[in-house]
Amino acid sequence: ISMPIGVAAKSLVPLPEGHFLREKLLDRAVLAAKTQAEPAAALQRILSSFGRPLTMSEVKESAMGLVPEESWSSWWTAAKKHPQVVVHGSGKTAVVEWSESAGAADDALFEKFERSSLKDRIDLFKKNARRSSEVASRLAERLAGDLPKLRQTDPGRAFELAVLIERTPGATLNFALEELLPPDPLPMLGQLTDRTSRERLLDLACKERPSDAPRLLTEWFFKEEDVRTLEWVDRRHIEMEPDSRERALDRLFKSPRSGARAFLWAMQKATGEEGFRSRLNANVLARLVDAVSWDELGAGRTKVREMFDRTGIAAMWLMKQATVSDARIFLEALTRHHELEPIRRDGLLAAAEMRFPELRKTTDDTFFVTPESLETKRAELEQILKIDIPENTKGIALAAAEGDLSENFEYKARREKQQLLSARAGKLQEDLVHARALDPLTVDTSEVRPGSRVTVRGSAGERVLTLLGPWDSKPEEGVYSYLSDLGKALLGKVLGEEAVVFGEPSVVEKIEPWR
């Protein structure tokens, strides 16, 4: 940054000998090698150079250029495992400090723990329970003291906390976990953010009230979002009531969106298990195409897209299970959705046509547009491929480096934007393959063709209508797509011939090129 000497002397802080940033400026290559080889030592140097705790953003900025962006998450994970590192909070605003010893780090943690709210205490416990068994048991015992009051005010969080304490060696509960089981566990299940706690609550409910277990497992199966718990629920359902489990799967495959996450899980299972694969049919695969655009799947939509790869479940079904009528229904669903990339759609179309030659298209998909609109679409495609997607890809990497993707809204938004950009680029690429530029010098004026300016006369008087391509339509200016109903009514008409224009008979009086 360029600034006057006097301003620099007043505003800047000198970097002393041995400061991490000074070495970064003077001997970057050597420092980069050390930083990547020894994450914890590098973190200690950064913190000691500044002489104070730093935020995550400050630590990352200091390491920028030394640790590759794609390696940041693994580097940070290795660095914070050191017993003398203490992290308070989460995300960019988390504060990182280096204690004089592991014992001092533990003391700082306990001091922070005592000053924190219950929510922050639980967060600190989850993040630091692996430091040592002594730390875990001490924190768990302290949390156990909060349980009696919490049971009265927030039963769901009390249950989650009790499960954490129960799983901690050396910690004890002074009551049976079954005492926290509510009459109807479903509302409480929706409050539990920890999947292990949800499984524990379901397990207790199934043991204590086995007659109600099939209903409970079925209802939660359609609400659960974690694939591991879905797997657990399915296994438990088989153990307790196989017929009920079959009915649940029947309901899922008939109405996939009633349990979007469960449907995604079931389709993944279908790649390797005959019991799920045998349930596939044209309607189920058509709903899988729909799932590409289901907002409730979030990042799971990427996994749905992968099912349409050459080795995915859709191709497997087409090649081994589908009948020609099944394939036709499925291909119709494919053509209705532009969210799926052309390379995936084309691969499935080719697979279907290879197995069923009668499905091969005999029609020409070519359409005509003006040179200007053609260049506009090409420019849009180039903008997306060379600027928008690369910039968004970098944004995804930066957002992912912040960690905790389950609550990283910027990461989720950028992933969704990436899917939209890819879908738009795919649609443009597909259209540009079939688009042909109109040339006014070659427009045949002996009859109405694409590129014609037509003068018609009816009871409402004279109208001048221009027929151009679908990308050029501007009805407010009298320009219509030749593929529209109006365009189709005029195409092929000659001078003096009658056509129905806007619902009334009109006579073609003049045909000329649009320019």
Side-chain angles (χ1 to χ4, degrees):
I1 301 174
S2 176
M3 64 175 66
I5 289 293
V7 174
K10 293 178 180 179
S11 305
L12 301 184
V13 177
L15 294 175
E17 291 284 346
H19 195 287
F20 187 86
L21 296 185
R22 183 185 182 102
E23 188 175 342
K24 181 178 176 180
L25 288 169
L26 300 180
D27 201 352
R28 179 178 293 245
V30 172
L31 185 60
K34 292 179 181 177
T35 301
Q36 294 177 40
E38 301 178 8
L43 178 61
Q44 182 185 20
R45 279 205 59 194
I46 293 172
L47 292 167
S48 62
S49 292
F50 284 90
R52 61 177 174 83
L54 299 178
T55 65
M56 273 285 298
S57 296
E58 290 174 315
V59 172
K60 187 172 183 179
E61 185 177 355
S62 299
M64 190 177 295
L66 304 174
V67 179
E69 187 65 43
E70 62 273 15
S71 303
W72 164 256
S73 294
S74 58
W75 183 90
W76 169 242
T77 299
K80 69 179 181 180
K81 284 183 178 179
H82 196 282
Q84 289 174 249
V85 175
V86 181
V87 182
H88 305 295
S90 60
K92 294 180 181 180
T93 58
V95 176
V96 186
E97 61 179 307
W98 188 277
S99 297
E100 296 179 1
S101 64
D106 292 344
D107 291 340
L109 171 63
F110 295 135
E111 182 181 347
K112 172 77 174 179
F113 186 86
E114 291 298 331
R115 296 197 309 267
S116 299
S117 65
L118 178 59
K119 180 178 180 298
D120 290 337
R121 285 181 180 180
I122 295 173
D123 184 58
L124 284 170
F125 174 76
K126 289 180 179 179
K127 289 184 176 180
N128 295 279
R130 295 184 180 180
R131 293 176 68 89
S132 69
S133 58
E134 291 78 13
V135 168
S137 61
R138 183 174 170 184
L139 294 178
E141 287 291 344
R142 180 62 185 84
L143 282 172
D146 295 314
L147 272 175
K149 181 179 179 181
L150 193 60
R151 288 179 63 176
Q152 304 300 320
T153 59
D154 192 342
R157 181 171 288 181
F159 184 87
E160 202 163 39
L161 183 55
V163 171
L164 284 174
I165 296 170
E166 181 188 56
R167 292 163 50 198
T168 304
T172 55
L173 289 171
N174 55 8
F175 59 89
L177 199 58
E178 288 78 0
E179 294 179 26
L180 297 179
L181 184 64
D184 182 4
L186 284 172
M188 181 183 285
L189 282 167
Q191 301 170 12
L192 303 181
T193 58
D194 177 53
R195 73 171 185 88
T196 306
S197 297
R198 294 196 296 275
E199 292 173 14
R200 189 76 175 92
L201 181 58
L202 283 166
D203 185 54
L204 283 176
C206 289
K207 289 178 179 177
E208 295 294 312
R209 304 160 193 165
S211 61
D212 194 39
R215 179 196 68 85
L216 183 62
L217 291 170
T218 296
E219 292 305 309
W220 190 250
F221 177 69
F222 284 85
K223 297 178 180 179
E224 178 58 52
E225 296 194 351
D226 192 293
V227 65
R228 294 165 294 182
T229 300
L230 283 168
E231 190 76 33
W232 184 93
V233 169
D234 188 58
R235 287 198 308 269
R236 195 61 190 271
H237 214 161
I238 293 173
E239 293 170 2
M240 299 203 70
E241 187 62 62
D243 291 341
S244 173
R245 184 256 193 177
E246 289 300 308
R247 290 192 294 272
L249 290 180
D250 287 342
R251 172 182 159 192
L252 177 67
F253 278 85
K254 287 178 181 177
S255 181
R257 202 160 187 176
S258 61
R261 292 281 180 175
F263 180 60
L264 173 57
W265 165 82
M267 295 305 294
Q268 290 175 309
K269 296 281 285 184
T271 59
E273 293 191 21
E274 177 59 31
F276 287 87
R277 191 161 53 247
S278 63
R279 295 175 181 272
L280 301 182
N281 56 48
N283 291 327
V284 171
L285 270 293
R287 295 309 303 276
L288 185 63
V289 179
D290 293 339
V292 174
S293 59
W294 291 352
D295 291 337
E296 57 265 44
L297 285 178
R301 287 178 292 182
T302 300
K303 295 179 180 178
V304 175
R305 291 175 185 275
E306 292 170 355
M307 293 181 183
F308 295 98
D309 290 340
R310 291 183 178 181
T311 57
I313 187 63
M316 183 188 303
W317 173 79
L318 271 174
M319 298 304 294
K320 295 183 179 180
Q321 291 178 246
T323 64
V324 64
S325 59
D326 287 337
R328 185 173 283 111
I329 294 172
F330 173 63
L331 295 182
E332 287 175 358
L334 271 184
T335 58
R336 291 197 303 267
H337 289 267
H338 296 297
E339 292 88 353
L340 199 63
E341 300 86 341
I343 188 171
R344 287 185 164 118
R345 289 207 310 271
D346 292 347
L348 292 170
L349 289 170
E353 291 172 0
M354 182 181 299
R355 187 176 177 205
F356 305 109
E358 59 267 42
L359 295 178
R360 291 175 184 166
K361 288 185 178 181
T362 57
T363 58
D364 185 4
D365 292 329
T366 299
F367 63 94
F368 297 96
V369 293
T370 62
E372 293 81 6
S373 63
L374 189 61
E375 286 305 311
T376 298
K377 296 296 183 181
R378 286 173 177 165
E380 182 185 354
L381 177 61
E382 185 172 6
Q383 168 77 20
I384 292 173
L385 294 179
K386 294 186 177 180
I387 298 176
D388 295 345
I389 288 180
E391 286 183 355
N392 198 60
T393 301
K394 292 180 182 177
I396 289 174
L398 290 172
E402 301 302 329
D404 192 9
L405 300 184
S406 64
E407 298 183 4
N408 192 327
F409 298 109
E410 181 182 355
Y411 174 80
K412 292 180 180 178
R414 285 193 173 274
R415 285 301 299 265
E416 290 181 5
K417 182 179 179 181
Q418 193 82 337
Q419 292 175 356
L420 293 174
L421 288 172
S422 298
R424 179 59 181 161
K427 182 67 168 65
L428 286 170
Q429 289 170 327
E430 181 182 16
D431 287 344
L432 287 169
V433 168
H434 300 294
R436 300 290 182 268
L438 287 165
D439 182 353
L441 298 178
T442 62
V443 174
D444 183 358
T445 57
S446 64
E447 65 178 50
V448 179
R449 300 282 185 90
S452 297
R453 179 185 288 118
V454 187
T455 302
V456 299
R457 182 176 297 277
S459 60
E462 184 180 274
R463 296 176 186 269
V464 179
L465 309 169
T466 302
L467 300 185
L468 295 176
W471 293 345
D472 306 283
S473 179
K474 295 180 181 178
E476 69 278 6
E477 298 179 13
V479 180
Y480 299 88
S481 168
Y482 71 89
L483 297 174
S484 67
D485 291 340
L486 173 64
K488 292 175 181 178
L490 287 169
L491 287 179
K493 301 299 183 183
V494 298
L495 290 175
E497 193 171 356
E498 189 176 276
V500 177
V501 177
F502 299 118
E504 67 172 6
S506 302
V507 177
V508 176
E509 291 193 337
K510 189 176 182 179
I511 304 172
E512 57 186 334
W514 86 94
R515 70 175 178 213

